[in-house]
Amino acid sequence: MSQVLTVYEFWAPVALYAFATSASPGPVNLVAATSGTNFGVRRTLPQVLGASLGFALLLVVLGLGLGSVLGAQPRLYLVLRVLGSVFLCYLAWKLWHASAAPAEDTRVERPPGFWAGLGAQWLNPKAWIVALAGITAYSAPGENYRVQVLAMAAVFLVICVPSVGAWAVFGAAARRLMKTERAVRRFNGTMALLLVASIVFLFL
C-alpha cells in the first residue's frame, strides 16, 4: 500500500467492512434495540456513543500492541472471550427481566449509559474478533501502519454511531407497535435469547 491512503485501496473497503460489521446483529446492537424499546432513542444515545467510541479505542489498542500479545498468548485470548461472554450473559439476564413500563415512566430502571456502552465493547467477543480481523485484513506492516490503524478507528467511529443508533430507532419504533406490556416483555425476552445465541455462535 502506498504512503497515501487511497479511496479504492483503503477508505472504501474499510468503510464497507465497518458498516457490515457494526450494523449486523450483535450483543451491543441488541442492547441498543432493547433500550430503545424501553427508554426511547434520546435516552439510549449515551449508550450508542459510548459503544461507538469504545470500539474505536479497542481497535487502536489492539492495533498498536495488544493484538500481538494475544497472538502470542492464545490462552489469554480465550480467557478474555470467556469473561466477555459471562458479562454478555449478565446483560441477557437484565434484558429478560427488563420492565415493560412505558419509556416515559421515570420509575423504571435507568437505561444503559455512556460508560456501560463503552465497557460493553471491551467485554464483547464479537468486537474483539471484528477488530483483529479488520486490522489483519486492511493494514500492512511498515511506517504507514500506525496511520492505517488510526484511520480505521476513525472510520469505525463515524459509521458505528448511525449503525448502532439505527437499532435504537428500531426498538423505539417497535415499541409503538406493541400495545400491551405483555408484548413488550416478549420483545425483551426475544432480544435476550438472541443475545445468548450470538454468544454461542462465537464459540462454534
Side-chain angles (χ1 to χ4, degrees):
M1 183 181 293
S2 62
Q3 288 296 103
V4 177
L5 301 181
T6 65
V7 172
Y8 295 108
E9 293 181 347
F10 183 82
W11 295 108
V14 169
L16 290 173
Y17 178 71
F19 175 75
T21 53
S22 61
S24 61
V28 171
N29 289 341
L30 294 175
V31 171
T34 308
S35 179
T37 299
N38 293 280
F39 303 103
V41 176
R42 183 180 63 82
R43 298 181 67 188
T44 304
L45 281 178
Q47 184 257 351
V48 171
L49 296 175
S52 302
L53 181 60
F55 182 84
L57 292 175
L58 175 64
L59 195 150
V60 170
V61 170
L62 289 176
L64 298 185
L66 184 56
S68 60
V69 174
L70 293 176
Q73 299 290 336
R75 289 186 179 180
L76 176 60
Y77 180 57
L78 178 61
V79 170
L80 291 172
R81 290 182 69 183
V82 171
L83 291 177
S85 297
V86 170
F87 174 74
L88 294 175
C89 286
Y90 167 75
L91 290 181
W93 180 84
K94 296 282 286 183
L95 296 182
W96 183 269
H97 293 281
S99 171
E104 296 80 9
D105 191 339
T106 57
R107 295 172 298 173
V108 301
E109 185 179 353
R110 292 185 300 175
F114 176 85
W115 293 109
L118 190 148
Q121 290 287 35
W122 285 75
L123 294 172
N124 178 8
K126 177 191 173 184
W128 287 70
I129 293 171
V130 169
L132 289 171
I135 293 168
T136 302
Y138 300 107
S139 64
E143 60 184 48
N144 211 30
Y145 174 75
R146 290 178 180 269
V147 175
Q148 295 166 12
V149 171
L150 294 175
M152 195 181 308
V155 171
F156 265 96
L157 179 60
V158 170
I159 291 179
C160 276
V161 173
S163 297
V164 180
W167 282 83
V169 173
F170 163 76
R175 178 59 188 250
R176 297 188 185 96
L177 299 176
M178 293 181 282
K179 304 300 183 182
T180 65
E181 291 189 3
R182 184 178 182 182
V184 177
R185 290 194 185 98
R186 286 180 176 177
F187 178 86
N188 292 339
T190 300
M191 292 296 104
L193 293 175
L194 289 174
L195 180 54
V196 173
S198 71
I199 299 169
V200 173
F201 279 113
L202 290 173
F203 287 89
L204 296 180

